[in-house]
Amino acid sequence: MKTDFKFSNLCGTVYRKGNVVFTPDGNSIISPVGNRVTVFDLVNNKSETLPFENKRDIRRLALSPNGNLLLSVDELGQTLLVNFRKRTVLHYFNLKDKVRDIVFSPDGRYFAAALGRNVQVWHSPGYVREFAPFVLHRTYAAHYDDVTSVSWSPDSRFFVTAGKDMVAKVFSVDPIEGFVPATLTGHRHAVVSAWFARDMRAVYTVSADGAVCVRRFRLQGVDENLTFGEFPIVTSDSDDDEEKPRTIWYTESRHYAQQSARVHSAAFNWATNLMVLGFTNGVFGIWEMPDFNLVHTLSISRKQINTIAINPTGEWLAFGAAKLGQLLVWEWQSETYVLKQQGHFYDMSCVAYSGDGQYVATGGDDAKLKVWNALSGFCFITFSEHTSSVTAVQFTKGSQVVLSASLDGTVRAYDLVRYRNFRVFTSPTPVQFTSLAVDPSGEIVCAGCQDSFEIYVWSMQTGKLLDVLSGHEGPISALAFRPDGLSLASSSWDKSVRFWDVFDRTKVVERMEHSHEVLALAYRPDGKELCASTIDGQIHFWDVAMAAPAGSIEGRRDIAGGRSATDRQTAENSSAGKSFTSLCYSADGTAVLGGGNSKYVCLYDRRSRILLRKFQVSQNQSLDGVQHKLNSRNMTEAGPRDLIDSDGIDSDSEKHVDRSLPGVRSGDKSNRVLKPEVRTRDVKFAPTGRQWAAASTEGLLIYSLDETLVFDPFELDADVTPDSIRDLVRTGDYLRALVNALRLNEQHVIRSVYESVPPKDVALLARAFPAVYVERLLKFIAHAMESSQLLELHLKWVSELLTTHGGFVKTRSVALQPVLRMLQRNVVRLHQDIGS
């Protein structure tokens, strides 16, 4: 089995905190998700998580005007310089303070960062690796309180800053004769943002109380407004010997957004002169400037809007709500949603793949069940019928029904064709269900509970309770049907695993004793072996036919995580999190994947019982338990420094900052911020065997096999080269060319030969095609279906190969099962796309 799995996507979360940014073409939006960056393609309906991580949660993002450079700044000012088009990190840099805003100039030569009371302007780095790519141009210090935003003028010569000291200030990048930095006053609350008008004839400022001021620039004593930016200003009737005429900024008009809530975020678009304000009650409004004409208002969330972005053409508006984890893209002219995504409000607790691997279902502590498209990474349906945490999720064999168990005492079945809850399974007395299993036929549903220690059995067709299996003396931790459906295995905290015959209760219940409490179990795909994890960190293997132990793995040291901020013991001496709470076999049954309450997921070889790979699900130091050793300097008299809310930058803690005395900048030391603990609640392998998913604190992490840079030749000879293969194509010997390309196993060579085969010759080539290469060709076609548009050619090849080599495929059905499932998934997806 291949073990070169790499992180490929983050599906379960769309927005955490920070700002969202549109790409220059306006077709994609970049969102910070924890310490990662996700790009949502709004045209092709796909999401992609970039392959790098910041040390902590990302606070601000900035994209250069040409879309080449991305700056990603975390909570403490650690900055990553990323080549956005190549998806590679060019440089690491520390701004040494918490950043409230960072933005590139329109010409791309500079970027400005708001650090506390100061603003720093830096030269934009180049596109290649340099020894010192960040060069400081100048530091501007004029505000008496923190700077909240920075905005550039269209000509990139000036920028305007807004601060909590209720003023906005205008600065020039370089010294200009006759220009003096201006201070724009008149607000009674903190200024949220300020912008230049496109014609440079006005500056718009907005404060937290909803006051919007239009500032103009003119000569003192003259009513005519001037275009800002020409210095010194000389009138026709003034002599050189006379003193230069004085210029002033004045407030032309003052408007108020008539809302009961405060303004928390704002954005302005030069192309349409539209100002968008987001309020703390989840309402946003659109106004046309400079007359402040209301276009419309809309309530899109129950919580405050943390960030707003407008695409370059001004057609789409993006909103992020950190409290709910919402990301919305709204087309204001047609009043329709372009994108509407929301992650789980609390932790994700369970995950399940559909039979064809096309869908992923997740359940969360927010009592919601979400179904995601595994290819695009988007959630397309959310079921919210449960009233308490969802603890288990499972698909039926046909993948048209998904079931969920919850602590509210119900098991619900959802139809994925009509998107409705068509069955509710309940118990005679209220219980809390923690585990779920469905037999291969989809007719029998079983659920285990944690309070009465019983297993309930229902009929899917009628919804009636058929039986109650009792005998366990502790909470039921896991259930699993054998792949052939003949028996049900259950694990419990009573240190046992039991085998039940659901269809014949006269048979004796077999019991497998363990030395410690059993937390999870899983059947091998062939049903001949079962593995179970215990609280002491061991994985026990059992021969199902003989009901005898077949070995064990000591995984206590492998799964051990880091040290929590409140732990009094070191990570090595702590007993917490050193056990597997979730187990899963790979699709071919050769490996076992395990996850628990730590930052690691371990992959073991089943036969040799050795550790193959250890995956760290997150490097995010904003989570608890990531670091193995803690710095004693971060321990204060009031407790760990990371848990003290001292600055109030975060939106949730802004109102807790102590402002009772003038000049007090630190918050109340008794206030605490919550650091979520890094852990993996559930792991599952995809039926295709080419990826696996982990339900973690960060969201739904998808790991896939990386075959782009792997040179894996097959029966390679010295005369098999790309040039010789191209010569065979020119002479029309397509069969030898295709076989040699598969032997060389370079994807671009296989693709060029495959696409050069005339469709009329496919049937003839399939009959003469060697059977030993059928698996490799089917695997290539399955991957090509995801990106290529040659639909007829793909279907013709698949049909002819399966027809001609049906006997070979049937004899090797177990080995070819992942490839055939991938083909089925892509054919179904293409059929749905054409039908829609």
Side-chain angles (χ1 to χ4, degrees):
M1 175 186 169
K2 293 183 178 180
T3 61
D4 52 337
F5 289 95
K6 292 185 66 176
F7 173 79
S8 63
N9 206 359
L10 176 62
C11 290
T13 315
V14 292
Y15 173 76
R16 281 285 174 83
K17 60 182 176 182
N19 65 315
V20 296
V21 181
F22 273 102
T23 53
D25 59 4
N27 294 332
S28 300
I29 188 168
I30 307 171
S31 172
V33 183
N35 67 331
R36 299 181 185 269
V37 177
T38 302
V39 181
F40 296 93
D41 189 337
L42 303 176
V43 176
N44 299 318
N45 197 34
K46 284 188 176 182
S47 68
E48 174 194 4
T49 303
L50 304 187
F52 61 84
E53 291 184 77
N54 282 71
K55 287 186 177 181
R56 292 176 176 267
D57 284 342
I58 296 173
R59 174 146 293 171
R60 302 300 295 181
L61 293 175
L63 186 65
S64 61
N66 57 9
N68 287 337
L69 294 179
L70 176 70
L71 292 175
S72 173
V73 187
D74 68 10
E75 292 176 331
L76 298 183
Q78 298 279 350
T79 305
L80 297 185
L81 173 65
V82 180
N83 187 326
F84 182 66
R85 301 193 187 279
K86 297 291 186 181
R87 308 308 201 237
T88 56
V89 178
L90 299 178
H91 194 70
Y92 297 85
F93 188 70
N94 190 0
L95 291 173
K96 300 180 180 179
D97 202 350
K98 297 183 179 181
V99 177
R100 284 185 177 269
D101 197 11
I102 186 167
V103 61
F104 277 93
S105 62
D107 61 3
R109 294 178 55 200
Y110 303 97
F111 69 87
L115 306 170
R117 303 181 186 184
N118 303 333
V119 175
Q120 292 182 350
V121 175
W122 298 74
H123 292 276
S124 293
Y127 305 136
V128 295
R129 295 182 186 271
E130 304 174 53
F131 177 71
F134 288 89
V135 177
L136 179 63
H137 177 70
R138 191 179 171 190
T139 300
Y140 302 81
H143 283 275
Y144 294 98
D145 206 339
D146 290 337
V147 179
T148 56
S149 75
V150 181
S151 179
W152 288 87
S153 64
D155 59 3
S156 301
R157 297 167 58 208
F158 305 92
F159 62 90
V160 57
T161 63
K164 288 186 175 181
D165 54 358
M166 299 181 288
V167 300
K169 291 180 177 288
V170 181
F171 298 97
S172 64
V173 177
D174 296 307
I176 299 176
E177 184 183 358
F179 171 75
V180 177
T183 301
L184 309 179
T185 61
H187 286 287
R188 297 183 178 180
H189 290 78
V191 182
V192 176
S193 193
W195 312 272
F196 281 98
R198 186 173 183 82
D199 58 2
M200 298 281 289
R201 286 182 171 268
V203 168
Y204 307 128
T205 59
V206 57
S207 60
D209 60 347
V212 177
C213 295
V214 180
R215 321 285 185 144
R216 296 288 185 181
F217 180 69
R218 70 183 182 190
L219 292 171
Q220 188 174 15
V222 180
D223 292 337
E224 183 181 359
N225 295 324
L226 300 176
T227 301
F228 179 71
E230 299 297 332
F231 304 98
I233 299 176
V234 180
T235 57
S236 58
D237 57 350
S238 64
D239 297 330
D240 294 340
D241 296 336
E242 295 181 359
E243 184 181 353
K244 296 292 188 300
R246 292 185 60 189
T247 58
I248 61 170
W249 286 91
Y250 73 100
T251 302
E252 182 186 64
S253 58
R254 185 188 301 269
H255 310 279
Y256 291 93
Q258 300 298 327
Q259 294 288 335
S260 58
R262 295 169 64 89
V263 176
H264 190 269
S265 53
F268 180 74
N269 182 256
W270 283 333
T272 56
N273 278 334
L274 291 180
M275 177 186 292
V276 185
L277 304 181
F279 298 90
T280 54
N281 59 356
V283 175
F284 80 90
I286 305 176
W287 286 268
E288 187 178 7
M289 301 301 291
D291 298 329
F292 202 68
N293 296 324
L294 178 63
V295 178
H296 75 228
T297 59
L298 184 70
S299 176
I300 58 172
S301 175
R302 300 189 307 272
K303 303 295 182 180
Q304 69 182 14
I305 300 173
N306 293 78
T307 180
I308 300 176
I310 309 176
N311 74 335
T313 60
E315 298 172 346
W316 291 347
L317 313 176
F319 304 95
K323 192 70 176 177
L324 297 177
Q326 276 184 332
L327 181 64
L328 310 171
V329 179
W330 172 263
E331 187 174 6
W332 64 274
Q333 291 175 327
S334 61
E335 298 186 8
T336 56
Y337 283 110
V338 178
L339 174 72
K340 188 177 182 180
Q341 292 287 301
Q342 180 178 348
H344 286 283
F345 189 72
Y346 300 114
D347 278 359
M348 190 180 296
S349 58
C350 49
V351 61
Y353 272 98
S354 62
D356 54 5
Q358 189 173 355
Y359 304 126
V360 183
T362 60
D365 290 342
D366 59 353
K368 288 183 172 57
L369 172 68
K370 292 179 177 287
V371 186
W372 309 77
N373 188 308
L375 186 62
S376 68
F378 282 111
C379 173
F380 61 90
I381 185 65
T382 299
F383 299 105
S384 55
E385 281 79 6
H386 283 295
T387 57
S388 188
S389 300
V390 178
T391 54
V393 174
Q394 193 163 348
F395 280 91
T396 58
K397 189 174 182 180
S399 301
Q400 293 187 348
V401 176
V402 61
L403 294 103
S404 62
S406 171
L407 295 180
D408 63 2
T410 63
V411 175
R412 296 178 182 267
Y414 300 94
D415 185 355
L416 293 183
V417 177
R418 298 178 178 86
Y419 300 134
R420 63 188 181 92
N421 177 207
F422 70 93
R423 283 282 185 276
V424 180
F425 307 99
T426 57
S427 58
T429 57
V431 294
Q432 292 182 317
F433 293 117
T434 56
S435 53
L436 178 67
V438 184
D439 78 321
S441 66
E443 297 294 329
I444 301 297
V445 179
C446 299
C449 59
Q450 68 178 11
D451 34 18
S452 64
F453 316 149
E454 295 171 331
I455 302 171
Y456 294 85
V457 183
W458 297 276
S459 168
M460 177 73 81
Q461 292 289 339
T462 63
K464 293 183 178 180
L465 180 65
L466 301 179
D467 203 352
V468 179
L469 309 178
S470 58
H472 278 294
E473 299 172 359
I476 311 297
S477 57
L479 294 176
F481 268 100
R482 206 163 79 183
D484 58 10
L486 296 180
S487 67
L488 172 71
S490 63
S491 63
S492 171
W493 290 10
D494 63 2
K495 305 179 183 180
S496 69
V497 172
R498 305 192 183 205
F499 294 98
W500 314 79
D501 192 322
V502 179
F503 304 100
D504 187 2
R505 290 298 309 278
T506 60
K507 292 186 178 180
V508 178
V509 178
E510 296 186 21
R511 177 169 176 166
M512 297 180 180
E513 294 292 343
H514 294 73
S515 58
H516 292 82
E517 290 84 350
V518 185
L519 303 180
L521 61 83
Y523 268 108
R524 203 169 70 188
D526 59 4
K528 297 180 180 179
E529 186 179 83
L530 178 139
C531 66
S533 67
T534 53
I535 201 169
D536 62 342
Q538 293 197 15
I539 301 177
H540 300 272
F541 294 89
W542 296 84
D543 187 323
V544 175
M546 303 298 295
S552 64
I553 295 175
E554 175 59 59
R556 184 179 178 84
R557 292 182 178 270
D558 301 330
I559 194 64
R563 183 177 180 181
S564 174
T566 56
D567 282 350
R568 296 182 179 272
Q569 296 175 314
T570 62
E572 290 78 11
N573 295 330
S574 175
S575 61
K578 293 187 177 181
S579 57
F580 297 93
T581 58
S582 176
L583 291 176
C584 179
Y585 274 94
S586 61
D588 56 4
T590 60
V592 175
L593 191 69
N597 293 328
S598 80
K599 60 180 178 178
Y600 293 116
V601 174
C602 300
L603 183 67
Y604 293 97
D605 182 72
R606 178 192 60 81
R607 183 169 298 176
S608 62
R609 313 284 196 260
I610 63 173
L611 178 67
L612 298 177
R613 287 281 305 274
K614 189 158 74 167
F615 304 91
Q616 184 169 343
V617 296
S618 179
Q619 305 275 356
N620 189 359
Q621 296 180 13
S622 294
L623 300 177
D624 216 5
V626 172
Q627 295 175 293
H628 279 281
K629 295 183 179 180
L630 302 179
N631 192 338
S632 59
R633 290 182 298 180
N634 292 330
M635 182 61 69
T636 66
E637 294 179 354
R641 194 188 306 273
D642 290 342
L643 301 184
I644 299 175
D645 179 22
S646 59
D647 60 355
I649 286 183
D650 292 333
S651 58
D652 294 340
S653 55
E654 188 85 27
K655 57 181 177 293
H656 296 303
V657 178
D658 184 10
R659 301 191 186 279
S660 57
L661 295 175
V664 173
R665 294 184 53 81
S666 62
D668 185 359
K669 298 298 184 183
S670 64
N671 285 337
R672 291 294 183 269
V673 292
L674 175 65
K675 286 186 68 173
E677 185 178 359
V678 60
R679 57 182 175 176
T680 305
R681 301 275 293 271
D682 197 8
V683 292
K684 285 292 187 298
F685 254 103
T688 60
R690 305 194 59 79
Q691 66 180 20
W692 57 269
S696 71
T697 311
E698 292 278 71
L700 182 65
L701 303 173
I702 306 290
Y703 286 78
S704 302
L705 282 175
D706 180 28
E707 296 183 339
T708 55
L709 303 176
V710 178
F711 179 62
D712 184 19
F714 183 73
E715 297 182 356
L716 188 62
D717 295 331
D719 58 343
V720 178
T721 63
D723 292 334
S724 65
I725 293 173
R726 294 188 190 97
D727 292 338
L728 290 173
V729 173
R730 294 191 195 98
T731 58
D733 193 351
Y734 298 109
L735 181 60
R736 285 184 60 198
L738 188 55
V739 170
N740 286 349
L742 290 171
R743 291 168 65 187
L744 188 64
N745 200 24
E746 288 191 4
Q747 295 299 315
H748 67 280
V749 177
I750 300 175
R751 182 179 289 274
S752 63
V753 176
Y754 174 80
E755 294 181 351
S756 63
V757 175
K760 60 182 178 62
D761 296 344
V762 170
L764 184 62
L765 292 176
R767 293 192 191 98
F769 198 78
V772 69
Y773 296 102
V774 167
E775 181 180 357
R776 285 177 170 263
L777 183 56
L778 287 175
K779 187 182 295 185
F780 167 77
I781 296 172
H783 283 292
M785 279 184 172
E786 296 179 355
S787 57
S788 175
Q789 304 297 322
L790 304 175
L791 179 59
E792 183 182 1
L793 181 64
H794 299 324
L795 296 178
K796 202 173 186 67
W797 265 109
V798 172
S799 175
E800 295 295 340
L801 285 174
L802 295 180
T803 302
T804 307
H805 300 279
F808 172 79
V809 172
K810 188 173 182 179
T811 57
R812 291 178 51 84
S813 60
V814 176
L816 290 174
Q817 193 174 20
V819 179
L820 296 176
R821 281 177 173 168
M822 192 182 306
L823 279 171
Q824 180 191 12
R825 181 189 69 181
N826 290 331
V827 169
V828 170
R829 180 181 58 83
L830 291 170
H831 181 267
Q832 291 177 349
D833 292 345
I834 294 173
S836 59

